Amino acid sequence: MTRMYSNATTKPALRKANEDGSEETMDEADLFRYTRDRWLSGEPQKLARRYRSFNLHPLLDAAVRSAGHGAKSCVKVLKCVEGLYNKPFILTMDNGAEIFAKLPNPNAGPTFFTTASEVATRHLLRKFLSLPLPQVLTWSADASNPVGAEYILEEKAPGTPLGSLWQKWPRQLQRDLVTQVVDIVAKLDSLSFPQHGCIYFMADLEAQGLPAESLTATFAGQSPPTQADPFFSQFALGPLTEAGFWGEERAHMTLDRGPWASATEYAEAVIGNEIKWTESYARPRTNYLRSMGSPEHAEDYLSLLRRFLLLAPHLSPPASTRQHVRTLSHPDLHLDNVFVNAAGKISAVIDWQSTCVSELFLQQGLPPMLPHADSSDAKETGHGISPDSESDKVPVTILHHYLDLTKERNLPRWEALSDGHRSDRMSPLELVTSAWAREDVFSFRHALINFVAHWNELAPGCGPCPVDFTEAEREGHLEEMELMEVLRAFVHHLQDENLIPVGGMVRSGHFERCRALNRHFMESFVSLAKDDSERAMFAHIWPYREGDE
């Protein structure tokens, strides 16, 4: 794309924010590239998914118009410390006004739907629940606009990101902040919906040729006539924007992306979509977890999927629990997505991209900020937290404080957090999408075998399990598991020693050192093999193979 500036727009200073709070001059090309991290394997493909080209001048023009108050030009473009899914900028005007701009990367989700749903969801939460969200000033979900990309222009979030303050705060201030988080989550959970899906403006769904019905909701246990309410009548539930429903070939397939009337319908759709993809695209390949000559056939994977489909009605917790309510939840409530003012009060919660309505037991467990915020141990059972924490015997930690307050103020959420079987129920569903494509059928199969092994606890009173595995299947899986356990221990040891993080994504400044370490430890792992054939196997299953794409 051509990048030019009109006579009315002085070329702004281009700057990049660093993680330590400093800034440095930036080349124009770095506006579009992902530069924060690098990858030890598959880097070209991963960087391409995070490359976002756009026309800067039309974006700045839109920002100047949004800023108002006599702004005539943008004098500075600051690229914020970037996450994995968006290009974030603070645009400073000649009158001192600051506008935050966000442009989704290709890996963020489907074109149009990702931006359209985020804007509608934020409008509902800001206006109806009065949550502290920055106001959207203008936006476009049509990449054919003059900017050449989807974008959101919004108020700069007031306050300071919590991540830069948390470790400096005294414990009481941390507890007070967690209390505010509990109240925000409870407020989100006070608004429930009849279906599972993403929220949109009805007009946007209709413009895409999709069916749309006015949104209905129940607020705080009451059922107001939201369908007749002019405010709610502008919204509708539509398809999920989760990338797993839209990535690669799936973007061009006719798949069931919602909305759904039940968790079982959702699970059946996820499994059915994977069956469709597998039938169309999966091809025989070598299973390197067994031997260089062991083939892995798509039909074997399809057999697993069809068996999983039989289990779909049994993935939900008992109907007697409160976990079946469908609410909106923030998808990534980590420290840097919470802003606070000088008094320690939450001034803004940002990054609502991919927010959806779903049953409580399908939502993320603890907010990601809590494990990072508190190193004290809690009794964990899978992804749930045991309600029997010995808080009377040890000092009350931040984590316990969150759980105790949640139990007091938001019992359905607490029940979901306390469900000791959540991991066994949800793991197969969380692992099934793209299991073949990412070469990890093992983990999905393992979760499925585990579900069947715990059938009586997970589906009490439902009779015999409708699914089983042959002795040959179990033996083959155990053979793979022996090697996987060695590999996982190796990889997690590297992370525990602060050498190479799991996943192989490292800060750009550490890349060369980590690449040298990776080569060394790969050789060490391969040296564990008994013969040439096994050495070839070990080399292939090493997760950070250079040159992989």
Side-chain angles (χ1 to χ4, degrees), residues 343-374:
K345 302 301 181 183
I346 293 177
S347 55
V349 181
I350 66 168
D351 198 3
W352 294 83
Q353 192 175 72
S354 299
T355 298
C356 74
V357 173
S358 65
E359 288 80 356
L360 287 177
F361 61 87
L362 291 172
Q363 297 175 14
Q364 188 178 57
L366 292 167
M369 61 179 291
L370 288 176
H372 295 288
D374 190 90

Side-chain angles (χ1 to χ4, degrees), residues 495-545:
Q495 175 168 276
D496 293 342
E497 295 298 317
N498 293 317
L499 299 172
I500 300 174
V502 171
M505 184 178 76
V506 301
R507 290 290 186 257
S508 295
H510 301 158
F511 179 73
E512 293 301 334
R513 178 182 68 87
C514 289
R515 182 162 65 173
L517 288 170
N518 181 50
R519 290 169 177 170
H520 169 75
F521 287 112
M522 178 178 174
E523 290 177 3
S524 298
F525 177 70
V526 171
S527 70
L528 299 175
K530 299 189 296 289
D531 52 40
D532 288 345
S533 176
E534 197 168 82
R535 275 187 284 276
M537 278 177 58
F538 281 26
H540 189 89
I541 67 171
W542 182 254
Y544 318 131
R545 299 189 303 274

Side-chain angles (χ1 to χ4, degrees), residues 328-349:
L328 285 161
S329 64
H330 192 287
D332 191 19
L333 200 58
H334 61 70
L335 291 172
D336 285 329
N337 281 338
V338 178
F339 284 62
V340 295
N341 62 23
K345 302 301 181 183
I346 293 177
S347 55
V349 181

Side-chain angles (χ1 to χ4, degrees), residues 136-198:
V136 173
L137 302 173
T138 189
W139 61 285
S140 175
D142 181 359
S144 65
N145 62 42
V147 175
E150 299 174 43
Y151 65 87
I152 296 174
L153 296 177
E154 60 189 81
E155 296 174 330
K156 180 188 174 187
T160 305
L162 188 57
S164 64
L165 301 172
W166 184 262
Q167 297 301 331
K168 305 172 186 176
W169 276 8
R171 180 54 60 95
Q172 186 57 51
L173 199 55
Q174 292 177 342
R175 285 169 55 88
D176 291 345
L177 188 285
V178 168
T179 299
Q180 296 175 63
V181 171
V182 169
D183 288 341
I184 286 176
V185 173
K187 207 165 189 179
L188 284 167
D189 288 345
S190 70
L191 191 61
S192 58
F193 303 85
Q195 289 183 300
H196 178 157
C198 282

Side-chain angles (χ1 to χ4, degrees), residues 5 131 242 291 319 421 432 436 440 462 469 482:
Y5 303 90
L131 292 181
E242 184 182 334
S291 74
H421 295 300
V432 64
W436 180 279
D440 194 19
C462 293
F469 293 87
E482 289 178 5

Side-chain angles (χ1 to χ4, degrees), residues 94-348:
D94 57 351
N95 65 351
E98 292 180 310
I99 302 294
F100 181 75
K102 179 168 77 170
L103 294 83
N105 293 332
N107 67 328
T111 57
F112 177 82
F113 293 101
T114 299
T115 299
S117 178
E118 179 181 353
V119 171
T121 302
R122 288 172 58 175
H123 185 65
L124 186 151
L125 295 177
R126 193 170 184 272
K127 294 294 186 180
F128 188 77
L129 291 181
S130 300
L131 292 181
L133 279 65
Q135 182 179 358
V136 173
L137 302 173
T138 189
W139 61 285
S140 175
D142 181 359
S144 65
N145 62 42
V147 175
E150 299 174 43
Y151 65 87
I152 296 174
L153 296 177
E154 60 189 81
E155 296 174 330
K156 180 188 174 187
T160 305
L162 188 57
S164 64
L165 301 172
W166 184 262
Q167 297 301 331
K168 305 172 186 176
W169 276 8
R171 180 54 60 95
Q172 186 57 51
L173 199 55
Q174 292 177 342
R175 285 169 55 88
D176 291 345
L177 188 285
V178 168
T179 299
Q180 296 175 63
V181 171
V182 169
D183 288 341
I184 286 176
V185 173
K187 207 165 189 179
L188 284 167
D189 288 345
S190 70
L191 191 61
S192 58
F193 303 85
Q195 289 183 300
H196 178 157
C198 282
I199 291 175
Y200 298 84
F201 291 118
M202 181 180 292
D204 287 330
L205 289 183
E206 291 174 339
Q208 295 293 309
L210 296 177
E213 296 181 6
S214 293
L215 189 67
T216 60
T218 300
F219 178 62
Q222 303 298 317
S223 295
T226 56
Q227 195 163 21
D229 187 323
F231 178 75
F232 276 88
S233 65
Q234 66 186 304
F235 301 103
L237 278 171
L240 285 194
T241 62
E242 184 182 334
F245 285 84
W246 301 88
E248 307 294 338
E249 301 93 350
R250 288 170 174 79
H252 310 290
M253 296 177 68
T254 302
L255 301 176
D256 185 351
R257 301 182 175 98
W260 303 279
S262 69
T264 296
E265 282 188 14
Y266 164 70
E268 290 172 344
V270 170
I271 302 165
N273 291 344
E274 189 68 10
I275 288 173
K276 282 187 178 182
W277 181 90
T278 304
E279 290 174 337
S280 298
Y281 294 102
R283 299 292 180 266
R285 63 190 182 192
T286 300
N287 182 349
Y288 292 97
L289 286 174
R290 296 193 183 179
S291 74
M292 293 296 290
S294 295
E296 186 171 41
H297 297 287
E299 190 54 46
D300 296 332
Y301 182 48
L302 285 169
S303 174
L304 291 175
L305 294 173
R306 290 168 183 142
R307 278 178 276 183
F308 188 25
L309 202 54
L310 297 175
L311 298 176
H314 307 286
L315 297 178
S316 302
S320 58
T321 72
R322 300 174 177 86
Q323 300 182 53
H324 289 261
V325 63
R326 299 180 192 91
T327 68
L328 285 161
S329 64
H330 192 287
D332 191 19
L333 200 58
H334 61 70
L335 291 172
D336 285 329
N337 281 338
V338 178
F339 284 62
V340 295
N341 62 23
K345 302 301 181 183
I346 293 177
S347 55

Side-chain angles (χ1 to χ4, degrees), residues 304 308 311 315 382-383 420-428 431 442-459 465 467-469 474 477 481:
L304 291 175
F308 188 25
L311 298 176
L315 297 178
H383 288 188
H421 295 300
R422 183 193 181 278
S423 179
D424 292 333
R425 282 199 193 93
M426 292 297 104
S427 287
L431 292 167
F442 168 83
S443 294
F444 167 60
R445 187 195 315 115
H446 188 76
L448 209 55
I449 289 173
N450 183 67
F451 189 100
V452 171
H454 293 88
W455 171 258
N456 289 332
E457 304 105 85
L458 298 176
C465 182
V467 166
D468 201 1
F469 293 87
R474 293 178 183 277
H477 183 75
M481 188 162 65

